[in-house]
Amino acid sequence: MMGSVLMIVAWLCVLTLNHFEAEYEIRASPYIFCYSVVSLIGSAISVRTLHDIARTDEAYYKGFLAFLVLNCAHFVVEAWPRGRTAVQKKSGASQYERANFFSRVSFHFMQQIVSLGHQRPLLQDDIAGLMPKRLHADVSYARLSRKWDAAKDRSAAKGSVPSLLNTILLSFNSQWASIMVVRVLTSIMTYVSPSLLNSLLGFIQSYASPDEADHEPISLGIILAFGLFFCSVIVTYLNAQLQAATVNLGLEVRTALMSMIYRKALRLSNDAKQKSTAGEITNHMSVDAERFPISMNSLPLIVSIPIEIAIAIWMLYGLIGWSIFVGLAAVILMLPIHAKLSSYFAIFRAAKMKAMDGRLRLVNEVLGGMKIVRLYNWEESFREKIAVVRHDELKLLRRFGTMFSFVALVFLSTPLVITLVSLAVYSTHGGPHFGPGDMNPQTIFVSITLFGLLSRPISAMSSTMAQITSITVATVRIQKFLLAEELDESIIKREPEDGSADGSTVIEIQDAVFAWCPEHAPVETEKQKRAREKEEAKKQKAADAKALKSGKPLAVKEKVEVDYSPTLTNINLSATKGSLTAIVGRVGQGKTSLLSAMIGDMYKRQGTVRIRGRIAYVAQQAWIINATLKDNIILGCEFEQDKYDQIVAASGLLPDIEMLPAGDMTEIGERGINLSGGQKQRVSLARAAYQDADIYLLDDPLSAVDAHVDQHLWDNLIGPKGLLKNKTRLLVTHGIHHLEHVDKIVVVKDCGITENGTYDELMDAKNGFYQLMDEYSVNSRRNRLKKTESGSSGDGDLTETMEEEEEENGKASTVNGDEKETKKVEAPKNSKAAELVAAEKMALGNVTWGVYDIYLSAATYRYSFLCVILYIVMQAAQIGTNLWLEHWTSSSGTGSPGEFLGVYAAIVIVYMGLNFLVTFVLMVIAAVRATAKLHDDLLAAILHLPMSFFDTTPLGRIVNRFSTDIFATDNTLPWSFMSLLMFGVSVLGTIVVIASTTPVFLAMVPPLFLAFAFVQRYYLKSSLSLRRIDSTSRSPVYQHFTETLVGVSTIRAMGVSELFIRDNEVKSTVSANAFFTYQMVARWLQIRLETLGALIILGAALFAVLDRASLNPSMVGLALSYALTVTQDITQLVRTYCELQNQLVSVERVDEYLRKNSEAPAALPSDEELPENWPTAGAIEFRNYSTRYRLGLDLVVKNISFNVKPAEKVGIVGRTGAGKSSLTLALFRIVEAANSHWAKASHNGEDTESSTSQSAAEKVVEMEKVEVEQDGGSILIDGVDISTVGLSRLRKSLAIIPQDPTLFSGTVRENLDPFEEHPDSDLWEALERAHLKDHIVSLAGGLSFKVSQSGDNFSVGQRSLICLARALLRKTKILILDEATAAVDVETDELIQKTIRTEFKDRTILTIAHRIKTVMDSDKILVLEKGNVEEFEPPKTLLNRSDSLFYKLAYQAGEVKHSDN
């Protein structure tokens, strides 16, 4: 009675709680669900018990029956998914967090996504917000970083190194505990099936007896059959939960590590940055952190493998006694082999990752400097460099594949060896008194099942070892990066702006010494020293081998001593509030370093630095992010229209915004690819102005703009009357014409400040500054003249006229910054035109056979077919071992054990040999061949894509192909193909064995096959969409990271690190959500497939029970032993097939770039007709030439015509964006003539179809449908139309000093002469003529001095001089100087111009310059305006006409003397 009362009370509580949870909770209670399950099971047992004791007529029975029905109804209600209650809709919780217990266990909460994906391709928005909050980047970072910081503090106190892996394990210990419990439960439940099989075979064996009294009741057989089914289903659910939990934990670790890596990159010291290149740091994100969600499920196996082996041995001991210990001894003897192979795995994995780092570093540099690579015709040089590194990577892959072949041989053959040894001992000495054992079907086939289960943990040891090794290696690499040196923020005493009046000191540097490197070499342990020397010896050996191969003398090992001397010494500097300080000096003297010291980028060795107020920093090379122009300016600040309009006008951006297709909402490409150099610098200035900081550090921003814009920026933004007039400004400049208007001038020379004072003070001192101004400044002489004369109205009139013109053009309003009339920036004209970088293309539907064909043909069909045949024969050998055992048990008493064992051993040896052979062919030959071809083809394609592709494609997206996608072809794709073949032939063999035993089972095959096919097809569409979303969601993370690494100094100086960290977290979370959804859908599939697979076990068992009397017990045992393994085999087969399809997305993504239209051919047949030393004269003719950067854009050069005679020197001037640099690009055919054949053929608006159905004639007809305004004309060099010349021949026949001086990591020698065509003497001579020899001599190693990534250890001016030295080495008849001396001082500029006049006197020179003085001695001046030729005459002629555009530019630059007027 009491029990009934308690049950009623319990149910009343349950129903009450049900009501309240529906009202207030976002998900149903798991405790109530568990109560419902227990109650249902209890009531079912009660009903069955009453039925068995024949009490069905009593009311008590009927009451329990009603209670059972009530339990069933409540269970359905509790299990039914709830997703639309009022509280759930208001909560904003993710779909996972709202799912009830049953929905999570069965992964039904993913049903909506799978159904939607089956109907149409999924989009990013369809899966938004599915992931639980704890996996979000900000949450996971907070959890792990807190523990990591504590671990670092503890280790610092002990003087040891903290372990990142231990920190990760301890940070998530509660999750690890639940994972381990589920893992152990899964292992235990796995071994319930053999016990049930043993009982079932005993049941069937009983019917072999003629005495019916010995026969077991049929109900027992049916219960055992269903027991096998439910046991399999329970293991399925446990396995799915285990895999979901480990993947989620791995994803949580991944997002946390990515955030930690990102934050660390923002804090790296300069020395640490030199050691960790952008490619390596990106690799930590894209590859190392990625190992955790992929490999985390291997870690619980460390616990479960010993447990499973112990249970199997215990159960086998119960069957075959002490014989199992002989087999166990064989396992123990093989453990040292396992340990040795494990250590090799770790070594190979680390070496492979290091090689990959090196390759990605090179790829990053090439992609970042692609325009320079094209201009210098260096594609082949860099392709060979990358090929060398890739060759080493492939060599490691082959060694790894060979090692894995041995590993597979050892691990996959171990179970068969154990079976062979154990049964050999059992059959001869395993019985009573060491006599022969009883080889009956029950003993043998339960043993085979157990041996099969034993093989899983043993076989898993190899993959577990590989995965754990990869996690360990990845963690060590990330740990090393996270422990790298950080910037010491305490070196600068930062104080808030206190609102004091103008004149108070805001920057104060006293007796400071700064350096770019630490004061001393890092302390090296003996172990580290040996490792370094070993690595150096290895590199020397590789260099020697390369030299021998190419027939060159062996490289001489040069001992390079690192120079630890300071960059700036004895610095004393102060700046007052509201002052304008100019910093001047020659190239490489330390001007940029001085600003870098103020923002904390350098090491401070002594002295004090005090900064009061917020800093805004404008780098010498403008940093632009891939966002709209407006977002580039605002950079996270609150938008204020009036302030924005005022700054845009002051920065001179209004005319540019009017020209842009969508105004300020136009998307700016990565690195500002669709802006000119001057436009980029003005955007950078506008961004700094918008920050409304207290102190502005401006690193030579005026060098990139023309004279007119220079004056506008001075008058309206930077100068004494500009928008920033009340701010403290430190301006590095080579524009000496502004110096008389600044408050203070600082002269930097020989690593120190040599002069410091006002303009008049320095002029009166008559030291170096006076000499500079006296010799190079026309303004200085003009103003001195004014002091002695009463003043002329001519200059004033001219200035007035010019200012009026500026007002008319909308370039400036008045000279007074306070009274500027600002034009409002209008709304975008065309929102569609705003887009430059399109969303990454994502293929739809299934992976086509064409993608399989690409991969298999890369591996060759011969090897692919051979692998299939070998796997079939290997599976036949495996089945042969069990068939022979079945024959042995059936032939008990006939034949000697030695005969049976001999045949069995022979089959096992054949199996082992085939196993090694197929693994070797697949992993070492076919897979390496395939990935090598795909990578080489991708690299070749990328190196020959038109520049318009790089204008519209973020680098992160391209790098993703070389990192994530090539990593997939290197590592995961071969495993997927191997697994597909392995499980495919295994399932086929199982069906054959079961069908041969119970032919009636074949009736189940068609419906089961249809069910499997339906589930697979239903799932595959969603899976492929999610895989593609996952792939495309990673690119923005890497792109954003790459942008951050480039602009890290600006980000830190401006204090906007938190803004970029938030952006990174958002992008990382979106990427993690895509991966989470993909993995949960895979678990959805696993539950349904393995449940269907359990039906095979049920069918085989039931058919055996129902046909028990006529079946051979040996064959039943064989069939059921195979049936117990088929569940996971079928699941693995379908999952592997789907995973293979997903992995082939990487091949599809690589192929996407292979199918893009390339630029014009590097070589053409007509090249052979050209003279060997073409061009011989250097005459250039533009005939009605027009060009655009890509189809669909406006023309940037419009119908221009002019002739340049041989050896003529032409200066090209014009306002920013007039088309000056476009002319140089046209000469090198970086851009093609509008409407020309090659302009259309290289367009990538649509990819080239992979099929050949469209004929060449049809393609030409289609290309000619493109409408343009006019014919693009032509360019002739020495009378030859350059469109008929191969690109390689054309580009190597021209020389250029580009606008953006780019250096690549390597030595100075490699940067000057990558093809090794010149002796060192020529290189030194070129450096001497470029006025850089003294500096290179002073560097450690001279020509062997290591250039850091992007040439960061050289100033921009020094990089320009190295580019000049490159040009001097190229003996070409035509030289183009594109703002070559913009970043150098006037003295160096003068020396360079003298060098050019002497060294290139017989060459044709086109000089683009904003510094008018640079082109004053040219034979002719070409003035461009809005893409048209405005003037083309000698400079004297143009200067004699005061209405000429050139005259106005020269006057504004201070190059027109008083007498000229």
Side-chain angles (χ1 to χ4, degrees):
M1 182 66 184
M2 181 59 71
S4 299
V5 171
L6 289 174
M7 188 173 290
I8 290 168
V9 170
W11 272 94
L12 286 172
C13 291
V14 164
L15 294 173
T16 305
L17 288 171
N18 269 142
H19 170 73
F20 283 117
E21 75 179 10
E23 288 290 327
Y24 302 109
E25 295 292 329
I26 60 170
R27 67 181 292 252
S29 168
Y31 303 109
I32 295 177
F33 179 82
C34 291
Y35 172 80
S36 179
V37 173
V38 172
S39 183
L40 178 62
I41 294 170
S43 60
I45 292 172
S46 299
V47 169
R48 183 181 180 277
T49 303
L50 291 171
H51 179 273
D52 285 352
I53 60 177
R55 295 179 62 179
T56 54
D57 294 333
E58 298 181 15
Y60 193 63
Y61 173 78
K62 292 175 182 176
F64 264 103
L65 197 61
F67 182 55
L68 176 62
V69 172
L70 176 65
N71 269 308
C72 289
H74 185 260
F75 174 80
V76 170
V77 171
E78 276 299 307
W80 199 263
R82 304 175 197 167
R84 301 181 182 278
T85 64
V87 67
Q88 285 178 329
K89 290 178 180 177
K90 292 177 183 176
S91 68
S94 69
Q95 202 161 314
Y96 174 83
E97 290 166 328
R98 297 200 307 264
N100 62 21
F101 184 79
F102 182 77
S103 184
R104 287 192 186 180
V105 167
S106 63
F107 296 91
H108 183 79
F109 68 93
M110 298 306 302
Q111 183 63 51
Q112 183 181 349
I113 297 296
V114 178
S115 299
L116 184 62
H118 181 67
Q119 295 166 15
R120 64 168 175 79
L122 291 170
L123 304 173
Q124 185 75 256
D125 292 342
D126 296 326
I127 63 171
L130 279 173
M131 190 170 66
K133 293 286 189 295
R134 66 182 177 83
L135 301 185
H136 288 210
D138 54 338
V139 179
S140 59
Y141 164 76
R143 184 173 184 177
L144 183 57
S145 66
R146 187 171 59 249
K147 297 283 186 181
W148 175 240
D149 291 340
K152 285 195 294 183
D153 292 341
R154 285 194 304 271
S155 298
K158 296 176 184 176
S160 58
V161 177
S163 169
L164 179 60
L165 186 57
N166 288 344
T167 305
I168 290 169
L169 296 177
L170 292 173
S171 297
F172 306 96
N173 47 18
S174 59
Q175 287 158 267
W176 276 118
S178 60
I179 285 172
M180 290 304 176
V181 168
V182 176
R183 177 70 262 179
V184 172
L185 278 175
T186 307
S187 298
I188 293 170
M189 286 300 300
T190 301
Y191 285 90
V192 173
S193 294
S195 298
L196 294 172
L197 175 62
N198 190 23
S199 301
L200 186 58
L201 288 177
F203 165 81
I204 294 172
Q205 188 75 26
S206 69
Y207 282 86
S209 171
D211 187 358
E212 290 190 10
D214 295 336
H215 297 180
E216 301 280 358
I218 191 170
S219 59
L220 176 62
I222 293 172
I223 288 172
L224 289 171
F226 275 96
L228 284 169
F229 169 74
F230 284 116
C231 181
S232 178
V233 170
I234 290 169
V235 170
T236 291
Y237 276 74
L238 286 172
N239 253 325
Q241 290 304 312
L242 178 68
Q243 290 186 44
T246 52
V247 163
N248 288 350
L249 179 56
L251 191 56
E252 192 170 355
V253 174
R254 185 189 93 169
T255 52
L257 286 175
M258 288 174 77
S259 292
M260 289 170 71
I261 291 165
Y262 186 86
R263 284 169 166 83
K264 182 70 179 185
L266 289 173
R267 301 193 302 268
L268 282 180
S269 70
N270 183 67
D271 190 55
K273 273 200 298 184
Q274 300 303 323
K275 293 174 182 174
S276 297
T277 64
E280 289 170 351
I281 300 173
T282 306
N283 236 6
H284 292 318
M285 267 196 181
S286 63
V287 179
D288 294 334
E290 195 61 45
R291 298 313 307 161
F292 282 90
I294 294 172
S295 304
M296 188 68 88
N297 60 350
S298 298
L299 290 181
L301 295 177
I302 299 172
V303 173
S304 67
I305 283 175
I307 293 173
E308 290 185 29
I309 291 175
I311 295 172
I313 289 171
W314 175 68
M315 294 180 73
L316 281 165
Y317 179 76
L319 286 167
I320 60 176
W322 64 270
S323 303
I324 184 58
F325 293 113
V326 180
L328 186 61
V331 174
I332 293 170
L333 288 172
M334 296 174 83
L335 285 178
I337 301 174
H338 295 174
K340 192 67 177 173
L341 292 174
S342 178
S343 65
Y344 281 139
F345 263 42
I347 293 168
F348 284 143
R349 182 68 65 184
K352 169 70 170 67
M353 295 312 299
K354 188 173 182 181
M356 186 175 176
D357 282 346
R359 174 172 59 83
L360 285 180
R361 175 183 60 75
L362 274 172
V363 168
N364 262 304
E365 282 200 302
V366 172
L367 294 176
M370 184 56 74
K371 185 180 286 187
I372 305 300
V373 172
R374 294 284 169 83
L375 291 171
Y376 284 111
N377 190 39
W378 281 353
E379 293 95 334
E380 281 306 304
S381 171
F382 278 103
R383 190 187 64 76
E384 288 173 11
K385 276 189 176 183
I386 295 171
V388 169
V389 181
R390 180 63 175 165
H391 175 73
D392 294 340
E393 200 176 357
L394 293 176
K395 198 157 82 173
L396 286 167
L397 267 182
R398 289 190 185 94
R399 289 171 62 190
F400 183 83
T402 305
M403 183 57 59
F404 183 77
S405 300
F406 284 104
V407 169
L409 173 64
V410 170
F411 289 120
L412 293 178
S413 303
T414 296
L416 284 175
V417 172
I418 297 171
T419 307
L420 172 63
V421 174
S422 300
L423 291 183
V425 174
Y426 178 73
S427 64
T428 54
H429 301 93
H433 309 293
F434 296 98
D438 181 13
M439 299 289 287
N440 63 70
Q442 190 172 353
T443 300
I444 296 304
F445 289 106
V446 172
S447 297
I448 287 176
T449 303
L450 287 168
F451 280 128
L453 291 174
L454 179 62
S455 72
R456 292 191 177 180
I458 293 175
S459 300
M461 286 172 71
S462 62
S463 59
T464 302
M465 185 173 64
Q467 298 294 353
I468 291 174
T469 299
S470 66
I471 281 183
T472 306
V473 170
T475 310
V476 169
R477 283 160 50 84
I478 294 173
Q479 175 183 303
K480 183 181 177 184
F481 175 72
L482 293 179
L483 292 174
E485 185 185 43
E486 296 184 5
L487 286 172
D488 182 2
E489 295 185 1
S490 66
I491 64 172
I492 297 177
K493 295 178 182 177
R494 301 183 189 274
E495 301 171 7
E497 212 281 322
D498 55 8
S500 55
D502 285 0
S504 60
T505 302
V506 292
I507 297 176
E508 188 177 2
I509 305 175
Q510 293 181 339
D511 303 322
V513 175
F514 299 104
W516 283 110
C517 60
E519 195 163 357
H520 305 290
V523 178
E524 198 174 41
T525 64
E526 193 61 35
K527 184 179 178 182
Q528 289 172 330
K529 183 181 178 182
R530 285 198 303 270
R532 176 178 55 79
E533 289 173 349
K534 185 178 178 182
E535 185 64 25
E536 287 174 356
K538 185 179 175 183
K539 287 181 179 177
Q540 184 67 28
K541 186 179 177 182
D544 291 347
K546 183 183 175 184
L548 286 170
K549 188 176 179 182
S550 57
K552 294 178 180 177
L554 295 181
V556 179
K557 185 178 179 182
E558 299 179 41
K559 188 175 181 181
V560 177
E561 294 293 337
V562 181
D563 184 9
Y564 292 100
S565 59
T567 307
L568 296 170
T569 57
N570 195 28
I571 301 298
N572 289 280
L573 176 66
S574 64
T576 56
K577 185 176 180 180
S579 64
L580 173 55
T581 303
I583 301 172
V584 297
R586 297 196 65 179
V587 169
Q589 298 300 308
K591 303 182 296 297
T592 296
S593 295
L594 184 57
L595 294 191
S596 297
M598 292 183 204
I599 63 176
D601 273 5
M602 296 182 73
Y603 292 90
K604 187 187 73 175
R605 296 189 179 176
Q606 68 180 55
T608 58
V609 181
R610 184 175 281 104
I611 305 283
R612 295 186 182 91
R614 288 178 55 242
I615 289 177
Y617 175 63
V618 177
Q620 188 170 7
Q621 288 188 302
W623 173 62
I624 305 295
I625 59 174
N626 179 207
T628 64
L629 182 72
K630 183 178 180 180
D631 288 339
N632 264 282
I633 294 172
I634 295 170
L635 199 67
C637 295
E638 188 177 342
F639 180 70
E640 298 176 36
Q641 185 70 54
D642 292 340
K643 174 183 173 182
Y644 177 77
D645 292 341
Q646 196 175 15
I647 288 169
V648 166
S651 304
L653 285 169
L654 278 175
D656 304 287
I657 289 173
E658 289 171 2
M659 286 190 295
L660 290 172
D664 63 348
M665 295 306 292
T666 300
E667 184 180 7
I668 306 304
E670 205 171 10
R671 308 178 311 284
I673 200 78
N674 51 336
L675 296 178
S676 70
Q679 288 168 331
K680 284 190 281 189
Q681 200 60 267
R682 281 181 285 133
V683 169
S684 192
L685 279 166
R687 178 200 298 141
Y690 199 88
Q691 295 294 312
D692 197 22
D694 305 304
I695 300 166
Y696 284 81
L697 305 180
L698 312 174
D699 194 356
D700 200 16
L702 300 177
S703 64
V705 299
D706 58 66
H708 174 86
V709 177
D710 176 308
Q711 192 63 43
H712 173 90
L713 291 172
W714 182 261
D715 292 340
N716 294 276
L717 186 67
I718 300 171
K721 296 180 180 180
L723 196 64
L724 303 177
K725 65 179 184 296
N726 296 322
K727 307 290 186 179
T728 306
R729 291 143 291 156
L730 274 75
L731 173 69
V732 172
T733 183
H734 294 133
I736 58 178
H737 53 289
H738 293 308
L739 296 181
E740 55 194 297
H741 304 297
V742 303
D743 300 316
K744 185 194 281 189
I745 297 168
V746 175
V747 181
V748 180
K749 187 177 181 183
D750 297 331
C751 304
I753 295 175
T754 56
E755 297 180 68
N756 186 354
T758 64
Y759 179 83
D760 290 336
E761 288 171 354
L762 297 187
M763 290 300 289
D764 292 342
K766 296 195 175 181
N767 291 324
F769 178 77
Y770 170 81
Q771 294 170 3
L772 171 74
M773 297 301 293
D774 188 58
E775 186 175 351
Y776 294 101
S777 175
V778 173
N779 275 344
S780 173
R781 293 191 293 273
R782 184 166 64 198
N783 290 339
R784 286 201 302 277
L785 183 62
K786 280 186 179 180
K787 288 180 183 178
T788 57
E789 297 180 2
S790 58
S792 168
S793 62
D795 282 350
D797 294 343
L798 180 62
T799 305
E800 210 170 284
T801 304
M802 286 189 165
E803 285 173 359
E804 286 171 6
E805 283 185 17
E806 287 174 357
E807 287 176 8
E808 290 169 11
N809 292 331
K811 304 283 184 181
S813 47
T814 64
V815 177
N816 191 332
D818 287 333
E819 300 172 0
K820 294 181 183 68
E821 296 173 10
T822 56
K823 180 177 176 182
K824 186 177 178 66
V825 178
E826 296 178 359
K829 297 167 278 188
N830 181 357
S831 59
K832 187 175 180 182
E835 185 180 301
L836 172 72
V837 179
E840 186 166 7
K841 183 182 175 184
M842 191 176 78
L844 304 177
N846 293 354
V847 171
T848 62
W849 170 248
V851 179
Y852 282 92
D853 180 58
I854 291 164
Y855 187 80
L856 295 177
S857 60
T860 73
Y861 278 105
R862 178 179 56 185
Y863 289 120
S864 305
F865 184 69
L866 178 61
C867 289
V868 174
I869 297 298
L870 287 174
Y871 263 111
I872 292 172
V873 176
M874 189 175 78
Q875 182 62 25
Q878 198 274 335
I879 294 173
T881 59
N882 292 326
L883 285 174
W884 185 251
L885 285 175
E886 185 275 329
H887 172 65
W888 190 351
T889 56
S890 302
S891 307
S892 182
T894 62
S896 66
E899 178 187 339
F900 287 113
L901 286 170
V903 174
Y904 186 81
I907 299 173
V908 168
I909 290 169
V910 169
Y911 174 84
M912 292 169 66
L914 288 168
N915 185 14
F916 176 82
L917 181 61
V918 71
T919 310
F920 184 85
V921 170
L922 197 152
M923 296 292 288
V924 179
I925 301 175
V928 173
R929 191 184 187 111
T931 193
K933 187 175 189 307
L934 286 170
H935 178 273
D936 292 348
D937 289 352
L938 175 65
L939 180 62
I942 290 293
L943 287 173
H944 293 96
L945 285 174
M947 276 308 298
S948 59
F949 169 79
F950 299 95
D951 295 348
T952 58
T953 308
L955 283 191
R957 195 178 292 178
I958 307 172
V959 170
N960 204 4
R961 299 302 198 277
F962 283 98
S963 57
T964 307
D965 294 324
I966 292 298
F967 183 84
T969 62
D970 279 356
N971 297 280
T972 53
L973 256 177
W975 287 77
S976 295
F977 270 105
M978 181 185 291
S979 299
L980 182 73
L981 290 170
M982 188 186 303
F983 291 118
V985 295
S986 178
V987 169
L988 182 63
T990 300
I991 291 172
V992 170
V993 169
I994 296 175
S996 63
T997 307
T998 50
V1000 70
F1001 173 79
L1002 288 173
M1004 286 184 65
V1005 173
L1008 279 173
F1009 175 80
L1010 290 173
F1012 277 115
F1014 172 75
V1015 172
Q1016 180 263 329
R1017 287 180 63 83
Y1018 190 72
Y1019 156 83
L1020 188 59
K1021 290 183 179 179
S1022 301
S1023 175
L1024 285 170
S1025 291
L1026 289 171
R1027 178 65 179 177
R1028 287 163 178 148
I1029 291 172
D1030 179 37
S1031 295
T1032 53
S1033 69
R1034 294 169 197 260
S1035 296
V1037 179
Y1038 307 143
Q1039 176 197 344
H1040 180 254
F1041 191 37
T1042 304
E1043 280 184 343
T1044 302
L1045 292 174
V1046 172
V1048 68
S1049 294
T1050 304
I1051 292 169
R1052 286 194 299 231
M1054 289 189 168
V1056 291
S1057 296
E1058 283 303 315
L1059 170 70
F1060 280 81
I1061 286 169
R1062 286 197 302 273
D1063 282 350
N1064 170 258
E1065 285 176 346
V1066 168
K1067 288 176 168 60
S1068 296
T1069 299
V1070 168
S1071 176
N1073 184 65
F1075 186 80
F1076 170 83
T1077 310
Y1078 169 65
Q1079 288 294 331
M1080 292 306 101
V1081 168
R1083 301 289 77 76
W1084 177 95
L1085 173 72
Q1086 179 182 354
I1087 289 288
R1088 283 141 188 82
L1089 281 183
E1090 292 195 10
T1091 302
L1092 283 173
L1095 292 174
I1096 294 177
I1097 296 174
L1098 179 63
L1102 280 178
F1103 288 139
V1105 168
L1106 297 175
D1107 202 16
R1108 59 199 174 282
S1110 60
L1111 292 177
N1112 180 345
S1114 297
M1115 287 302 293
V1116 171
L1118 178 64
L1120 288 177
S1121 67
Y1122 271 92
L1124 284 175
T1125 61
V1126 78
T1127 305
Q1128 289 193 6
D1129 283 351
I1130 289 179
T1131 305
Q1132 289 291 348
L1133 174 62
V1134 176
R1135 280 178 54 201
T1136 302
Y1137 172 69
C1138 296
E1139 181 62 26
L1140 178 62
Q1141 288 255 316
N1142 294 328
Q1143 294 294 344
L1144 282 169
V1145 169
S1146 292
V1147 178
E1148 183 180 69
R1149 283 159 55 80
V1150 168
D1151 182 57
E1152 178 194 346
Y1153 283 1
L1154 299 185
R1155 290 186 289 109
K1156 288 189 177 294
N1157 294 316
S1158 63
E1159 62 177 355
L1164 289 171
S1166 57
D1167 295 351
E1168 297 177 6
E1169 300 171 9
L1170 295 173
E1172 188 177 344
N1173 58 343
W1174 179 87
T1176 52
I1180 303 171
E1181 181 183 357
F1182 280 75
R1183 289 184 183 173
N1184 304 317
Y1185 186 80
S1186 303
T1187 189
R1188 54 168 56 85
Y1189 282 107
R1190 62 183 187 278
L1191 288 180
L1193 296 184
D1194 294 334
L1195 295 171
V1196 289
V1197 172
K1198 304 169 187 174
N1199 200 31
I1200 63 173
S1201 297
F1202 63 90
N1203 286 302
V1204 179
K1205 296 174 184 175
E1208 197 170 37
K1209 311 297 183 280
V1210 175
I1212 304 174
V1213 297
R1215 305 182 198 279
T1216 301
K1220 305 183 295 293
S1221 292
S1222 301
L1223 275 188
T1224 66
L1225 298 181
L1227 275 170
F1228 284 84
R1229 288 180 61 196
I1230 301 296
V1231 293
E1232 299 282 358
N1235 202 28
S1236 68
H1237 167 77
W1238 294 121
K1240 292 183 287 185
S1242 61
H1243 176 59
N1244 276 305
E1246 293 180 3
D1247 292 343
T1248 308
E1249 296 296 327
S1250 55
S1251 67
T1252 56
S1253 57
Q1254 193 179 29
S1255 67
E1258 289 172 332
K1259 289 179 182 176
V1260 170
V1261 170
E1262 195 156 315
M1263 284 192 293
E1264 291 191 354
K1265 291 178 184 176
V1266 179
E1267 294 181 7
V1268 292
E1269 297 80 353
Q1270 56 190 11
D1271 182 80
S1274 58
I1275 302 173
L1276 282 73
I1277 295 179
D1278 281 2
V1280 177
D1281 187 341
I1282 62 171
S1283 67
T1284 64
V1285 180
L1287 292 182
S1288 179
R1289 180 67 191 275
L1290 172 67
R1291 290 169 183 170
K1292 74 180 181 183
S1293 302
L1294 306 174
I1296 185 170
I1297 305 175
Q1299 187 173 14
D1300 296 319
T1302 303
L1303 302 185
F1304 300 95
S1305 59
T1307 63
V1308 174
R1309 181 184 289 105
E1310 288 167 344
N1311 269 277
L1312 290 171
D1313 183 26
F1315 288 103
E1316 300 178 3
E1317 296 174 328
H1318 304 278
D1320 282 3
S1321 57
D1322 286 359
L1323 305 187
W1324 283 118
E1325 187 181 351
L1327 287 169
E1328 186 174 17
R1329 290 174 180 174
H1331 306 282
L1332 198 62
K1333 181 180 178 180
D1334 292 343
H1335 179 68
I1336 301 298
V1337 167
S1338 70
L1339 298 175
L1343 290 173
S1344 299
F1345 177 76
K1346 291 289 181 185
V1347 179
S1348 66
Q1349 189 167 16
S1350 303
D1352 288 340
N1353 49 351
F1354 287 90
S1355 73
V1356 177
Q1358 289 168 333
R1359 287 179 234 168
S1360 296
L1361 297 180
I1362 290 176
C1363 291
L1364 172 62
R1366 283 177 187 160
L1368 288 165
L1369 287 168
R1370 295 189 110 177
K1371 310 297 184 185
T1372 61
K1373 275 291 180 181
I1374 297 173
L1375 173 67
I1376 296 99
L1377 307 176
D1378 189 358
E1379 300 294 348
T1381 58
V1384 301
D1385 59 279
V1386 289
E1387 292 176 83
T1388 308
D1389 188 6
E1390 179 72 19
L1391 290 171
I1392 289 171
Q1393 295 308 320
K1394 285 179 182 175
T1395 299
I1396 290 170
R1397 283 193 289 271
T1398 346
E1399 299 296 327
F1400 300 103
K1401 58 185 177 185
D1402 58 340
R1403 304 191 199 181
T1404 304
I1405 300 176
L1406 304 182
T1407 305
I1408 297 173
H1410 289 139
R1411 194 179 287 159
I1412 298 298
K1413 184 176 182 64
T1414 303
V1415 295
M1416 288 295 268
D1417 63 344
S1418 300
D1419 298 326
K1420 282 185 181 177
I1421 300 294
L1422 176 70
V1423 182
L1424 293 176
E1425 180 72 10
K1426 296 181 180 178
N1428 295 304
V1429 174
E1430 291 293 318
E1431 298 164 357
F1432 185 52
E1433 295 180 82
K1436 287 184 179 179
T1437 306
L1438 294 174
L1439 289 174
N1440 287 331
R1441 297 204 322 259
S1442 60
D1443 62 337
S1444 75
L1445 193 55
F1446 182 67
Y1447 180 87
K1448 295 173 184 176
L1449 291 170
Y1451 182 85
Q1452 287 170 336
E1455 296 299 335
V1456 178
K1457 296 181 182 179
H1458 176 76
S1459 57
D1460 290 342
N1461 191 21

